[in-house]
Amino acid sequence: MSDFPFLSVLTVAPLVGALVVVFMPATRAELAKRIALGWSLAVLVLAVFMWIAFEAGGDRLQLRESYSWIPRWGVNFTFAADGIALVMLMLIALLVPVVILASWHEAESSKRSVPVYFALLLFLECTMIGVFAAADVFLFYVFFEVMLVPMYFLIGSYGGHQRQYAAVKFFLYSLVGGLFMLAAVIGLWVVGGKTFDWQALTQIDISTGTERWLFLGFFVAFAIKAPFFPFHTWLPDAGGAAPAGSAALLVGVMDKVGTFGILRYCLPLFPDASKWFAPWAIALALIGIIYAALLAVGQNDLKRLVSYTSIAHFGFIGVGIFAFTTQAGTGAVLYMVNHGLATGLLFLVVGMFVARRNSALITDFGGAGKLVPVLAGVLFFAGLASLALPGTAPFISEFLVLIGTYTVNKPVAIVATAGIILAAAYVLWMVQRTTQGTLNPALAGVESMRRDMSIREKVVVAPLIALLLLLGFYPKPVTDVINPAVQATMEQDLGKQDPAPTVGTVQEAHR
């Protein structure tokens, strides 16, 4: 089974599906939707077989494939996955069919081609899989940049208010970050013996000054993509203007390329520079946690509020990465997965409210739970998962990040904990203003607000709710895959060992 070219097939399959769907006439929109959904489900099935073929605790990089591309420059189509990449690939394979089903009527109001919309979603899936599966630095950069194209058109052509402004801002921010990375990629090729192979580059020695400059080139690109403070301003605009399904993929998966890139490229390729810049990265992460949470509290737009919550969550992921402990690192990667599930669900449910009210403003709702009680209940659950309520998956990852950070840097863990309190404030206040209290008289005259969740919408949210609960009580199948890759990064690449338990802790454990 492991000899099967899973990663290349997973990358190419959605592209083929996109080409099939995009050339369908606009009059066959319903057929285009069905083909796109079926194609994405086939990719999900293949991803499940890939998960089965992966050996947790085996080689660091598995499922490796390599095909010559530009021999003169040492560029190859090299794919390989460690545990970190594997869980992100599974997240993509799961979210895309959910988003396609959730977006069934999303493109119809835009007066643009429905088949093109679903073709763009499949093309986006292709690029997202490619960026996580790439084991060649140049190939990673190509997917990193091409990934912008489908999302740009999804926002700019099918988005809501100020969609063109948001699309251009998203593209320009990401493009500037990509230029920093391109300069660093070229520099790495020069000092690395004219190769782009990830495994070969992890073995080279780089002078201190050069390593720090190369680290900065990659880190700036990833900090913009995540985004970290102060590179975050594009996300609320893009998340607010994008269609709900596209926003779920933007925040749930695409932004994780930034944190994944730090783990896959910054830490292993530039270990000394990573340790030197770690205090600054942690400072940016902490500012992002508090600053974005405070901004979220004051938002009146549901989609922008969810976008700001994601910036705060990425702060926790940043803290977990740069704490340099296996526990915090595993928590950070698990946070990437759980955030994709929780925020993906939250964006999709918010999109259902917006579609019914034709407005994303919280003040246009009020007491909506009296009209759509099931939908309001799902919004409440999604909000609780987002604030990391015990029993939901994000709690496990947030706890691991904080406890792993506390063992090496108590002040950072204490400051980050303030973000949990603020999360409860902005989530519960959003839910209260949207679904609780006296019914807004304006809602009574909106016929669509009297329709509670349809069967299709229930099918959309059911797998996300199930996974958030399952991983909240039993995350072991995922952590067993993640932990060896994180441990290899911390111990082999950075030379970091987890701190031994203190005498007091050991005595307490024996009582």
Side-chain angles (χ1 to χ4, degrees):
M1 180 73 76
S2 59
D3 293 333
F4 184 81
F6 282 107
L7 296 175
S8 58
V9 174
L10 272 175
T11 304
V12 173
L15 178 61
V16 176
L19 292 174
V20 171
V21 172
V22 75
F23 289 112
M24 298 191 68
T27 55
R28 306 298 300 275
E30 195 67 25
L31 179 61
K33 297 176 189 177
R34 295 175 185 272
I35 292 175
L37 178 60
W39 215 286
S40 64
L41 288 172
V43 172
L44 174 59
V45 171
L46 184 61
V48 171
F49 282 109
M50 178 184 66
W51 180 279
I52 295 171
F54 189 89
E55 298 178 11
D59 294 339
R60 181 175 182 178
L61 290 181
Q62 300 181 38
L63 309 172
R64 183 180 173 87
E65 308 169 43
S66 188
Y67 312 98
S68 181
W69 184 12
I70 311 175
R72 186 174 180 180
W73 294 354
V75 179
N76 298 294
F77 279 103
T78 302
F79 298 100
D82 60 3
I84 301 170
L86 183 72
V87 295
M88 294 308 302
L89 292 170
M90 282 300 303
L91 178 64
I92 296 167
L94 171 70
L95 279 183
V96 170
V98 168
V99 165
I100 288 176
L101 190 59
S103 307
W104 209 251
H105 302 296
E106 204 161 45
E108 295 171 358
S109 60
S110 66
K111 299 181 181 180
R112 294 182 181 269
S113 173
V114 173
V116 170
Y117 178 81
F118 289 93
L120 286 170
L121 288 177
L122 289 174
F123 181 33
L124 180 62
E125 182 178 26
C126 161
T127 58
M128 291 189 301
I129 290 174
V131 80
F132 286 106
D136 179 279
V137 177
F138 186 82
L139 181 63
F140 172 83
Y141 171 76
V142 170
F143 279 116
F144 184 89
E145 292 291 77
V146 175
M147 186 171 55
L148 305 178
V149 176
M151 184 55 71
Y152 170 81
F153 285 107
L154 285 168
I155 298 173
S157 298
Y158 297 90
H161 181 61
Q162 289 191 324
R163 62 179 182 270
Q164 294 179 346
Y165 167 79
V168 171
K169 189 174 182 179
F170 157 75
F171 195 86
L172 289 179
Y173 266 70
S174 300
L175 189 62
V176 169
L179 292 176
F180 276 96
M181 187 195 294
L182 177 60
V185 166
I186 295 172
L188 185 62
W189 179 76
V190 172
V191 302
K194 298 184 178 181
T195 180
F196 289 109
D197 183 74
W198 181 87
Q199 285 185 302
L201 290 171
T202 58
Q203 306 302 317
I204 66 173
D205 292 322
I206 308 175
S207 66
T208 300
T210 301
E211 183 178 340
R212 289 177 182 176
W213 281 111
L214 293 177
F215 172 91
L216 275 178
F218 278 89
F219 180 78
V220 169
F222 296 144
I224 292 173
K225 177 63 72 177
F228 291 145
F229 175 90
F231 309 105
H232 65 281
T233 59
W234 65 267
L235 182 57
D237 292 320
S246 302
L249 291 177
L250 172 66
V251 176
V253 179
M254 279 188 68
D255 290 354
K256 307 302 190 309
V257 174
T259 48
F260 170 81
I262 293 172
L263 284 163
R264 170 61 73 83
Y265 295 95
C266 288
L267 270 57
L269 298 182
F270 319 113
D272 293 332
S274 298
K275 287 181 278 189
W276 194 83
F277 281 105
W280 299 98
I282 290 176
L284 294 180
L286 288 176
I287 294 172
I289 292 173
I290 306 301
Y291 179 68
L294 291 173
L295 289 177
V297 172
Q299 294 302 307
N300 188 42
D301 186 294
L302 284 168
K303 294 167 74 175
R304 289 179 66 88
L305 187 152
V306 177
S307 298
Y308 275 114
T309 68
S310 295
I311 297 169
H313 293 150
F314 278 107
F316 279 101
I317 297 172
V319 168
I321 292 172
F322 286 99
F324 296 146
T325 67
T326 302
Q327 200 170 36
T330 298
V333 177
L334 187 62
Y335 211 132
M336 290 160 61
V337 177
N338 293 338
H339 175 265
L341 296 173
T343 304
L345 174 63
L346 191 55
F347 253 121
L348 293 177
V349 175
V350 163
M352 295 173 190
F353 273 98
V354 173
R356 284 165 168 78
R357 184 66 176 93
N358 198 28
S359 172
L361 298 180
I362 295 175
T363 49
D364 286 340
F365 291 91
K370 294 179 174 59
L371 299 178
V372 283
V374 177
L375 183 58
V378 177
L379 177 68
F380 184 50
F381 174 83
L384 293 179
S386 181
L387 64 83
L389 183 77
T392 62
F395 170 76
I396 303 296
S397 45
E398 199 166 274
F399 179 79
L400 286 173
V401 166
L402 291 174
I403 200 70
T405 303
Y406 187 82
T407 59
V408 293
N409 198 327
K410 293 179 177 60
V412 169
I414 293 170
V415 173
T417 304
I420 301 176
I421 301 171
L422 292 172
Y426 60 65
V427 167
L428 295 178
W429 197 26
M430 173 197 71
V431 172
Q432 193 276 332
R433 290 185 293 164
T434 305
T435 63
Q436 305 301 310
T438 305
L439 178 66
N440 185 343
L443 293 181
V446 182
E447 184 62 31
S448 55
M449 280 301 302
R450 297 183 178 278
R451 298 196 307 268
D452 212 338
M453 296 188 75
S454 65
I455 294 177
R456 175 183 61 83
E457 290 171 331
K458 291 177 182 177
V459 172
V460 166
V461 303
L464 300 180
I465 293 174
L467 283 171
L468 286 168
L469 291 173
L470 176 63
L471 295 179
F473 287 94
Y474 189 64
K476 189 174 183 297
V478 179
T479 55
D480 284 349
V481 172
I482 295 171
N483 197 61
V486 173
Q487 189 171 12
T489 301
M490 299 303 164
E491 296 181 1
Q492 298 176 21
D493 299 330
L494 295 172
K496 291 282 188 177
Q497 297 291 329
D498 288 340
T502 63
V503 175
T505 304
V506 174
Q507 291 175 345
E508 187 68 27
H510 283 289
R511 289 180 184 176

